[in-house]
Amino acid sequence: MKTILVAGGAGYIGSHMVALLLERGYEVVVVDNLCTGHWQAVKAPAKLRVGDVKDQAFLDRVFTEFPIDGVINFAAFSLVGESVGNPLKYYENNVGGAVSMLTAMKNHNVKKIVFSSTAATYGEPEKQPIEETDRTDPINPYGASKLAIEGLLRWCDGAYGIKYAALRYFNAAGSNADVGIGEDHHPETHLIPNVLAAALGKKSLELFGDDYPTPDGTCVRDYIHVRDLVEAHLLALEYLDRGGESGPFNLGSGDGYSVKEIVETARRVTGKEIPAAMKPRRPGDPPTLIASNRKAKEVLGWVPKRGLEEIIADAWAWHQSHPNGYEG
Ligand code: UFG
């Protein structure tokens, strides 16, 4: 495997993937329509082709131009709240994009894909930590669109021999400030970047609900460093290349932290006061999501190395050096 196509490689997680692939000596081709991604996040010598993954002719051109050995597909919409108000947008973009990508792979005889799935495929799990074999029953169209693609991947494996790893992310955070990339979403809905924006005095922090059935009443999540996350993608690609069996893998640390614990840790790491106002619950938030990462550890040999302090410290380094994101 030499040349890897990264769809959505200008986005937050995709750009960290590109940086790791370059570091490990791969040739990298990025396709991205830049609707949420940033061209500045795609570092040389990766090659960027601007276009939409739903555009079959565009994808076929890219697969003809480069000798693609494997695909890592990040390109998708991922705002849970927006997906509830506009399910067609999510199915059209996420499922539609996966259909064209798999069609291009079939047309050009490319047999390996690592796909970004999500903990949102589980909905409201019956137990913690969550295992891959637990029931999947999404409670929003975003999670449902990803689960639909997991189904499509299974069928494409059976029909065309396209091997896949569907990586179910828990809460990705952190940055790779060394190479100048980090999290820059518009709007930003995620907790850690919002906490750090408040530390910089750029916006006021709201915490959504302290009446959940959790130890301190705020939601518990499993935060995973984006650099650990992308390492798992590379291990998954190598695993498929060795003939590994297709399937889903949870990517989380296995540790849960409450919203209040995140704010406390950020206060310690930044040395800032970070005022926070308690607000009502945000619709659609499950109380607790913690991954069992046993399968990714055993099957892929994945070892997440970076804990919560490092996640927040690295995100803080990026936010301090880029207070206005990539435009700043
Ligand atoms: N939160 C706040 N204030 C904020 C932002 C978030 O209190 O300003 C709270 C949320 O209500 C939630 C927790 O912080 O309780 C974490 O929220 P995030 O938005 O950071 O992350 P989510 O767990 O909601 O979302 C993540 C991924 C989604 C994925 C989802 C699956 O980012 O892509 O997990 O449940 F769909």
Side-chain angles (χ1 to χ4, degrees):
M1 266 191 317
K2 239 180 95 212
T3 305
I4 307 300
L5 179 69
V6 182
Y12 168 47
I13 303 175
S15 61
H16 286 79
M17 185 77 247
V18 171
L20 178 66
L21 288 165
L22 293 176
E23 198 184 303
R24 299 287 169 85
Y26 287 89
E27 305 277 329
V28 182
V29 180
V30 171
V31 292
D32 202 300
N33 65 6
L34 301 179
C35 81
T36 56
H38 307 274
W39 60 266
Q40 302 93 321
V42 181
K43 302 297 178 189
K47 296 187 177 65
L48 172 64
R49 294 291 177 269
V50 177
D52 199 303
V53 288
K54 297 192 297 305
D55 179 346
Q56 193 69 59
F58 161 71
L59 269 192
D60 281 323
R61 275 199 305 281
V62 173
F63 275 79
T64 305
E65 184 181 359
F66 299 99
I68 309 287
D69 297 304
V71 171
I72 309 183
N73 188 13
F74 297 92
F77 292 146
S78 63
L79 296 176
V80 170
E82 182 186 59
S83 79
V84 175
N86 202 348
L88 286 171
K89 175 175 173 178
Y90 274 70
Y91 273 76
E92 198 233 350
N93 186 67
N94 295 359
V95 180
V99 168
S100 347
M101 181 58 78
L102 287 159
T103 304
M105 290 176 70
K106 173 177 155 287
N107 291 346
H108 297 268
N109 206 26
V110 177
K111 299 289 188 193
K112 291 171 288 278
I113 181 167
V114 175
F115 170 72
S116 307
S117 189
T118 170
T121 52
Y122 294 109
E124 291 183 353
E126 289 157 333
K127 63 166 186 54
Q128 309 285 339
I130 308 164
E131 292 172 291
E132 290 83 351
T133 46
D134 288 350
R135 189 189 63 188
T136 46
D137 189 10
I139 56 169
N140 53 63
Y142 165 65
S145 72
K146 293 286 187 168
L147 191 59
I149 300 164
E150 288 197 19
L152 175 62
L153 288 166
R154 261 196 317 278
W155 291 114
C156 288
D157 184 348
Y160 318 121
I162 294 175
K163 298 294 166 192
Y164 71 91
L167 305 184
R168 295 178 179 162
Y169 307 163
F170 283 65
N171 290 60
S175 76
N176 188 344
D178 289 352
V179 297
I181 53 178
E183 189 166 6
D184 182 14
H185 292 123
H186 301 278
E188 187 53 79
T189 61
H190 294 120
L191 179 62
I192 290 179
N194 279 349
V195 170
L196 297 177
L200 285 171
K202 290 188 58 211
K203 63 174 166 184
S204 42
L205 178 62
E206 300 183 333
L207 306 181
F208 303 129
D210 60 357
D211 57 350
Y212 285 95
T214 59
D216 66 16
T218 62
C219 287
V220 172
R221 292 289 181 274
D222 180 335
Y223 294 87
I224 183 75
H225 199 300
V226 64
R227 297 184 66 180
D228 283 328
L229 194 74
V230 297
E231 277 169 17
H233 290 63
L234 192 47
L235 290 168
L237 201 56
E238 291 166 352
Y239 160 81
L240 296 177
D241 200 41
R242 289 194 301 275
E245 197 184 320
S246 298
F249 295 86
N250 286 342
L251 296 184
S253 68
D255 296 317
Y257 293 95
S258 74
V259 168
K260 280 186 182 166
E261 286 175 315
I262 297 299
V263 178
E264 280 310 319
T265 309
R267 286 180 177 138
R268 227 173 24 249
V269 167
T270 63
K272 306 279 184 188
E273 200 180 324
I274 317 185
M278 192 54 70
K279 296 284 172 181
R281 289 182 179 199
R282 187 174 71 174
D285 281 340
T288 303
L289 290 172
I290 301 172
S292 160
N293 56 18
R294 189 187 49 82
K295 184 181 175 194
K297 281 181 169 165
E298 286 179 9
V299 178
L300 304 179
W302 184 52
V303 185
K305 298 187 273 292
R306 302 160 178 98
L308 183 64
E309 299 251 345
E310 191 171 346
I311 291 175
I312 293 180
D314 286 355
W316 180 230
W318 156 260
H319 282 274
Q320 281 181 297
S321 60
H322 295 77
N324 299 309
Y326 285 102
E327 306 305 325

